[in-house]
Amino acid sequence: MRAAVCTEPGPARSLARGQLPDPVPRSGQVLVEVRGAGVNYVDALFVEGRYQIKPPVPFVPGGEVAGVVAEVG
């Protein structure tokens, strides 16, 4: 799958296009074919390394998506 990947903390323009393995949903999960994604202020803080929670890199920021359920685990 294609994704905007944060490989190190920095400005949002430092996000890189990346290719990640296709996810496989487990029991109780769904796989969404994303048609649109939002990036909000908290996402920017994550990318800049300024939020109180600092995810390990690399990570894909964002949690707001809209799309089509492609698979059910």
Side-chain angles (χ1 to χ4, degrees), residues 33-61:
E33 183 180 310
V34 177
R35 302 285 172 92
V39 178
N40 61 40
Y41 181 69
V42 173
D43 294 323
L45 291 177
F46 272 119
V47 170
E48 293 172 359
R50 296 181 17 198
Y51 198 67
Q52 60 262 35
I53 301 168
K54 295 178 177 46
V57 291
F59 71 92
V60 177

